Amino acid sequence: MNGGLRRVLAGREAPVAGALLVVLAVTTAVNPRFLSDQGRFDLLVAIAITGLMAVGQTFVLVMRHVDLSVGSVLGLSAFMAGSAVRGDTGGSLLVALLVGIVVGVVAGLVNGALVAFLRLPALVVTLGTLYVFQGVQALLTGGTRINADQLPTSVVSFGVTGFLGVPWLMWVCLLAAALGGVFLRTRRSGRDLYAVGSNPPAAELVGIPVARRTLLAYMVSGACAGGAGVLFLARFGGVDSNAGIGYELPVVAACVVGGVNIFGGSGTVLGALLGAMLLKTMGVSLSALSVPEFWQQAINGLLLLVAITADRIVLLRRERSARVEAARHRREQVDAGPALPTDGADRAGHDGVTTTEVVR
Amino acid sequence: MSRVLSWDRSVFVLLVVTVAVGAVIDPDFAGGSNLGFVLQDIGEIMLIALPMTFLIMTGEIDLSVASTAALAGCVLGWAWQASGSMAVAVLAAVGTGVVCGAVNGFLVTRLGLGSLAVTIGTLGLYRGLCYALLGDTTVADFPAGWTNLGFSSIPGTPLPYVTPLLVVLAVAFGVVLHLTRTGRWVFAVGQSVEAARFAGIPVARLKFRLFVVTGAVAGLAGIVYDLRFASARPDGALGFELAVIASVLFGGVSIFGGVGTMWGVVSAVLFLGSVRSLLQLQGVPGNALTIITGGLLLASVVIPVVAQRWSAFRERRSRVLAAATP
Amino acid sequence: MRPTRLRLVAFLAVAAASLAACGGGSSAGAGSSSSAAAPSESASAPAATAGAVKEGLKIAILPKAINIPYFDAAYAGAQKACAEIKAECEQIGPTQATGAAQLQFINTVIQKKYDALVISAADANSVVPALKKAQDAGVAVVTYDADVADTSARSVMVKPTTPDLIGKSQVDWISKAVGSGGGEIAILSAAATAENQNAWIKIMKDELAANHPELKLVDTVYGDDDAAKSAEKAAALMQSHPNLKGIISPTTVGVAAAAKYISGSKYKGTVQVTGLGLPSEMKAYVKDGTVKSFGLWDPGMLGYLGVYAAGVKASGGDPKAGFKAGDKDYTVDGDGVAIVGPPQEFTAENVDQFNF
């Protein structure tokens, strides 16, 4: 199971990385400035915020949940972090990050508690908190805006400078992805998330603390959205009451493109990050390729569909060959001895037809 | 299951209470012109919520409905300018809705893709096609006879012209869901796809048709929207998808599928529209309305669960008490 | 005739400001701001103004959306006017700037029997039927900031300044910033359907063609008044047009996002940014040299005049014949449009004096 799972996961990231390379190569061939120093920097800055949120969303999606409130959490945290370091409070970047992440974790606790302890459907809960957090932020913000000249230099320059040619914002995203990836892959509690997502009742039966793991996943998603709020603050040098509205669906889309299964049980942080990179890169490359402005959104939507479909077809093909393999294996075993139970439970996590469980 | 049923009964009670309380505390609220406005204001949401109920009942979802409505609206404007005939334009708009729904249905049922992911994609695609079609222009020269349908009321009544359409479609969808074989199939698929398949229900074909119907009704809603605002524009109906889904879920339809009633959904749409109107008339600011919308949605899932736990707790306690007293 | 003369006076003021700023001296810059700030009211020749305004009117101010600093500044002006005419004033509005969302608040105005509604239309077409309904119900309707497509749906429109001036001033600012060498420029607008911006862009194009052969408009892109999208569009412009010398963004969100992007990129100094922005948001970028100058009008005056015009209408007068606001008389043209004044140009010298 372990080796097989790993093989499938590795396989699902490769096509995304491949597609990303193709987009980069084609665009650069047509427009060499696409990957110039500044072009690369801008692209990475654009990826960082969605990428960080996709990392957090992965934790929730693999558990067969979803977090739609991330955009509102981003707005709330950006505003709270901005307020904390505004003016002559002498606040620094670290204070902003700390405040942003704390706000995100608290929001994640609210979501997680409702989903984990009351066992409420995640889609409904996070749709509700999407409105609630957004309203709270709007009430707090009102018509005030935090502007670049009110923020400490450390925060504003964080949004435009980098290290080794990579923007600081992207380093934050990469650090979160690395921590998240290692955790999900190697830690016992990380592996638990996949087990719960593959088969929730079974996970409970084998003694996994499902509620605690759910809470953890939502706290991670919240923390990432909160961190993304601070990145937002740094990138735009300010925040108003519209920050983060409409960010949730692109984040889920990035995860799906990156091979994170929306029915839970599979997907990696690396995949989600690659998915975010691919979607943003495609969007930016349409401009670099001088595609007419009014066609860009349609083509973007089409490319997203192609990416999802291609991923599905690759998966189906692989599953079929795996099933053939398994059947052959079974036949050999039947020849050798008593039959084994079928592999139905193993497959449930990937099986598209159990759409009933789309958005638990 | 019974607790969920009692939830949609509660929604209906909530609706009645809201209207009654509203009438007492604010005579303006219960006035004909305001109630007529509420009906008009929820028109598109109600229309799309009807087929969306079916889809969610089977465990699917369609996030592209608002974009579909907008695209149909843009096609209406474009076809009207190109052909000069509103009849042609209306047919083209509904046809656009059907095609949009069929694309969703194909991707979900034939390729086995998750409907959430597919319709996030088509949400962007259909909206993008709106811009490709109309760009930065707005079509605002619809014939006055048609736009009057959009915002004036039926002579002699305070009711908007959209009312008969809402009533007919709501009854039709309700009858199909609760009194026909198709409706029973929908419940069966929602309860268990595997079981439904074993029972010989053509699951894929059923879901495909539901997506097509959803697209068609969204197209209809796009026409209603255009007429109400006397214009076709690429950013029409922006963000309606979440409002529709919130209404359906508030009406007691389970996001897991298999549970729900049509009159629960209809009550929910009317309730949310009335509450919004009542609060707005009381001067509650927009920011607070956002919080209340989210809070109501959360309440719709929290209250049934808490109520059930409470009654289970009381039952357990009374059993313990009964056992303790010989 | 009067509007033409007004426009001429205002244009000369801006032209003078431009020339002065071209001189480059800091004192000249400061001087330019005061001349451009001169309001265009015709105090010398009072028009036939309507009668007195009743006290105790109930007036609703309905912006495109609430939580927007620009509209809050306009509301502050409205409140000042309401205090002067002893009216009861309230700002109501949706959190999202769409015509559909505004409709619900127009209904509130009708049901709650407000005497007057001062509205900035989020969408020129879609609120028209509802506004006519409001007029039928006896509400005096005045538009400010953004007009409706059908002028019979309102009594008077209070325009910040003429579209002509807005368009031409922005071309002047970019031409000044880019210098006599000229080069490629691009426009970063709000939504593709935004009526105000589209009208201004059209005028900018005409002005560029007529008077600025050295400037070549190579692209128009839309940031949808979203900070992230606007910044990405600005970055994309640099990819598709490597020789770009300037960006005009006729919207407050767009110009701030473009300025923030350019200020943190290697293009700072070589690519000029100007447009319509709020001094509070743009302060940092004017001071760091990214933006040489940009402009706007005083949003407070929009609310201020809007309330007065609405007050006249609600008291049975006709503001279309001209109206008095505070101690000044304002004229109204044949389309029912009253103009506040020429745009205010902001530079590093004067940007600190403004608090909106």
Side-chain angles (χ1 to χ4, degrees), chain A residues 33 38 42 143 235 296, chain C residues 72 233 239 260-261 266:
Chain A
R33 287 178 306 280
Q38 184 72 44
D42 293 344
R235 183 180 174 200
Q296 290 188 8
Chain C
D72 282 356
K233 288 290 176 189
Q239 301 248 326
K260 166 76 175 149
Y261 167 72
K266 69 170 185 185

Side-chain angles (χ1 to χ4, degrees), chain C:
Chain C
M1 177 182 157
R2 186 174 302 283
T4 335
R5 205 187 74 194
L6 244 169
R7 213 170 282 177
L8 191 67
V9 168
F11 182 67
L12 286 176
V14 172
S18 318
L19 283 172
C22 273
S26 65
S27 61
S32 78
S33 71
S34 62
S35 72
S40 72
E41 80 285 359
S42 46
S44 53
T49 46
V53 177
K54 277 191 213 159
E55 289 188 3
L57 291 172
K58 207 170 141 196
I59 301 177
I61 316 293
L62 177 45
K64 288 183 183 178
I66 54 172
N67 307 327
I68 298 180
Y70 172 83
F71 284 115
D72 282 356
Y75 182 49
Q79 281 174 309
K80 183 166 166 251
C82 285
E84 288 172 11
I85 64 170
K86 302 197 170 52
E88 197 186 316
C89 215
E90 198 174 355
Q91 173 162 266
I92 54 174
T95 50
Q96 295 288 294
T98 67
Q102 278 190 317
L103 220 56
Q104 300 175 346
F105 290 90
I106 299 175
N107 179 58
T108 301
V109 168
I110 298 174
Q111 303 299 340
K112 285 288 152 196
K113 301 177 185 67
Y114 277 85
D115 296 301
L117 167 64
V118 182
I119 179 176
S120 168
D123 172 341
N125 290 292
S126 62
V127 292
V128 167
L131 289 183
K132 286 187 170 166
K133 211 181 244 177
Q135 287 179 323
D136 290 345
V139 181
V141 177
V142 167
T143 53
Y144 73 112
D145 174 64
D147 205 0
V148 286
D150 181 348
T151 55
S152 71
R154 47 87 174 148
S155 148
V156 170
M157 155 76 186
V158 179
K159 250 193 189 131
T161 139
T162 64
D164 216 44
L165 270 179
I166 300 175
K168 286 180 178 164
S169 307
Q170 292 182 78
V171 171
D172 281 341
W173 297 331
I174 200 72
S175 140
K176 219 162 50 179
V178 169
S180 56
E184 296 183 349
I185 59 166
I187 294 173
L188 169 63
S189 185
T193 46
E195 337 273 341
N196 273 350
Q197 273 77 10
N198 286 347
W200 299 332
I201 289 171
K202 196 173 160 295
I203 289 159
M204 287 187 223
K205 284 180 178 165
D206 294 344
E207 171 71 8
L208 284 168
N211 296 325
H212 291 279
E214 80 281 8
L215 295 174
K216 185 164 171 265
L217 179 65
V218 289
D219 213 344
T220 302
V221 295
Y222 301 91
D224 289 342
D225 271 351
D226 173 81
K229 195 167 176 205
S230 301
E232 276 152 34
K233 288 290 176 189
L237 277 176
M238 302 317 303
Q239 301 248 326
S240 28
H241 307 287
N243 298 321
L244 205 65
K245 286 281 181 292
I247 297 175
I248 302 178
S249 185
T251 164
T252 56
V253 180
V255 76
K260 166 76 175 149
Y261 167 72
I262 296 291
S263 80
S265 76
K266 69 170 185 185
Y267 306 115
K268 183 175 166 183
T270 57
V271 178
Q272 304 300 328
V273 178
T274 191
L276 302 177
L278 291 165
S280 57
E281 284 185 64
M282 298 294 288
K283 212 174 276 177
Y285 313 118
V286 173
K287 291 196 170 158
D288 77 2
T290 310
V291 175
K292 288 183 184 154
S293 78
F294 66 102
L296 199 68
W297 39 85
D298 179 356
M301 284 305 283
L302 289 174
Y304 186 76
L305 293 193
V307 164
Y308 266 101
V312 170
K313 178 75 183 165
S315 311
D318 185 5
K320 282 189 175 171
F323 59 92
K324 195 175 160 79
D327 47 7
K328 285 169 190 139
D329 291 307
Y330 286 83
T331 54
V332 175
D333 74 7
D335 294 327
V337 175
I339 303 288
V340 172
Q344 164 78 53
E345 186 182 19
F346 306 107
T347 60
E349 284 75 33
N350 70 4
V351 72
D352 280 328
Q353 301 162 12
F354 302 89
N355 60 354
F356 52 93

Side-chain angles (χ1 to χ4, degrees), chain A residues 21-31 289:
Chain A
L21 288 178
V22 169
V23 174
L24 290 173
V26 169
T27 316
T28 313
V30 176
N31 183 345
L289 293 173

Side-chain angles (χ1 to χ4, degrees), chain B residues 7-22:
Chain B
W7 173 255
D8 38 296
R9 215 166 281 148
S10 332
V11 175
F12 182 71
V13 173
L14 272 176
L15 169 64
V16 174
V17 169
T18 309
V19 175
V21 168

Side-chain angles (χ1 to χ4, degrees), chain A residues 216-238:
Chain A
L216 172 79
Y218 273 100
M219 281 162 66
V220 171
S221 173
C224 286
V230 182
L231 301 194
F232 183 99
L233 189 68
R235 183 180 174 200
F236 299 111

